[in-house]
Short mmCIF file of all heavy atoms in Angstrom, two decimals:
data_model
loop_
_atom_site.label_atom_id
_atom_site.label_comp_id
_atom_site.label_asym_id
_atom_site.label_seq_id
_atom_site.Cartn_x
_atom_site.Cartn_y
_atom_site.Cartn_z
N LYS A 1 -5.30 28.29 -1.90
CA LYS A 1 -6.48 28.98 -1.41
C LYS A 1 -7.28 28.09 -0.46
O LYS A 1 -7.74 28.54 0.59
CB LYS A 1 -7.33 29.42 -2.58
CG LYS A 1 -8.57 30.14 -2.12
CD LYS A 1 -9.09 31.09 -3.14
CE LYS A 1 -10.43 31.56 -2.69
NZ LYS A 1 -10.60 32.94 -2.60
N ALA A 2 -7.45 26.81 -0.82
CA ALA A 2 -8.20 25.89 0.04
C ALA A 2 -7.53 25.75 1.40
O ALA A 2 -8.21 25.68 2.43
CB ALA A 2 -8.35 24.54 -0.63
N LEU A 3 -6.21 25.73 1.40
CA LEU A 3 -5.47 25.61 2.64
C LEU A 3 -5.71 26.82 3.54
O LEU A 3 -5.93 26.68 4.75
CB LEU A 3 -3.98 25.43 2.35
CG LEU A 3 -3.06 25.18 3.54
CD1 LEU A 3 -3.51 23.97 4.35
CD2 LEU A 3 -1.63 24.98 3.06
N ALA A 4 -5.72 28.00 2.95
CA ALA A 4 -5.96 29.22 3.73
C ALA A 4 -7.37 29.22 4.31
O ALA A 4 -7.57 29.57 5.48
CB ALA A 4 -5.75 30.46 2.85
N VAL A 5 -8.34 28.84 3.50
CA VAL A 5 -9.73 28.79 3.97
C VAL A 5 -9.86 27.77 5.10
O VAL A 5 -10.47 28.03 6.14
CB VAL A 5 -10.69 28.45 2.80
CG1 VAL A 5 -12.10 28.16 3.32
CG2 VAL A 5 -10.70 29.58 1.78
N SER A 6 -9.27 26.61 4.89
CA SER A 6 -9.32 25.55 5.89
C SER A 6 -8.68 26.00 7.21
O SER A 6 -9.20 25.73 8.29
CB SER A 6 -8.61 24.31 5.35
OG SER A 6 -8.49 23.33 6.33
N THR A 7 -7.56 26.69 7.11
CA THR A 7 -6.87 27.19 8.30
C THR A 7 -7.76 28.14 9.09
O THR A 7 -7.88 28.04 10.31
CB THR A 7 -5.56 27.90 7.90
OG1 THR A 7 -4.72 26.96 7.20
CG2 THR A 7 -4.82 28.43 9.11
N GLU A 8 -8.40 29.06 8.38
CA GLU A 8 -9.29 30.03 9.03
C GLU A 8 -10.50 29.35 9.67
O GLU A 8 -10.90 29.67 10.78
CB GLU A 8 -9.74 31.11 8.05
CG GLU A 8 -8.65 32.10 7.69
CD GLU A 8 -8.01 32.75 8.92
OE1 GLU A 8 -8.74 33.24 9.81
OE2 GLU A 8 -6.76 32.73 8.99
N GLU A 9 -11.09 28.42 8.96
CA GLU A 9 -12.26 27.71 9.48
C GLU A 9 -11.91 26.86 10.69
O GLU A 9 -12.70 26.75 11.63
CB GLU A 9 -12.92 26.86 8.38
CG GLU A 9 -13.58 27.67 7.29
CD GLU A 9 -14.66 28.60 7.82
OE1 GLU A 9 -15.50 28.17 8.64
OE2 GLU A 9 -14.65 29.78 7.41
N LEU A 10 -10.73 26.26 10.68
CA LEU A 10 -10.30 25.44 11.81
C LEU A 10 -10.08 26.30 13.06
O LEU A 10 -10.35 25.84 14.17
CB LEU A 10 -9.04 24.65 11.45
CG LEU A 10 -8.63 23.55 12.42
CD1 LEU A 10 -9.75 22.52 12.60
CD2 LEU A 10 -7.37 22.85 11.93
N LYS A 11 -9.64 27.54 12.86
CA LYS A 11 -9.49 28.46 14.00
C LYS A 11 -10.84 28.75 14.63
O LYS A 11 -10.96 28.87 15.84
CB LYS A 11 -8.83 29.77 13.55
CG LYS A 11 -7.35 29.64 13.27
CD LYS A 11 -6.77 30.95 12.77
CE LYS A 11 -5.33 30.79 12.37
NZ LYS A 11 -4.77 32.01 11.75
N LYS A 12 -11.87 28.86 13.80
CA LYS A 12 -13.23 29.14 14.29
C LYS A 12 -13.85 27.91 14.96
O LYS A 12 -14.64 28.05 15.90
CB LYS A 12 -14.13 29.59 13.14
CG LYS A 12 -13.73 30.90 12.51
CD LYS A 12 -14.63 31.19 11.31
CE LYS A 12 -14.10 32.32 10.47
NZ LYS A 12 -14.86 32.47 9.22
N SER A 13 -13.52 26.75 14.44
CA SER A 13 -14.12 25.49 14.95
C SER A 13 -13.03 24.45 15.18
O SER A 13 -12.92 23.47 14.44
CB SER A 13 -15.14 24.96 13.95
OG SER A 13 -16.11 25.91 13.64
N PRO A 14 -12.20 24.65 16.21
CA PRO A 14 -11.05 23.77 16.41
C PRO A 14 -11.40 22.31 16.74
O PRO A 14 -10.55 21.43 16.61
CB PRO A 14 -10.29 24.41 17.57
CG PRO A 14 -11.28 25.29 18.25
CD PRO A 14 -12.28 25.70 17.21
#
Side-chain angles (χ1 to χ4, degrees):
K1 180 154 170 125
L3 184 56
V5 170
S6 172
T7 301
E8 287 307 310
E9 291 302 314
L10 192 57
K11 286 177 185 174
K12 295 176 192 172
S13 305

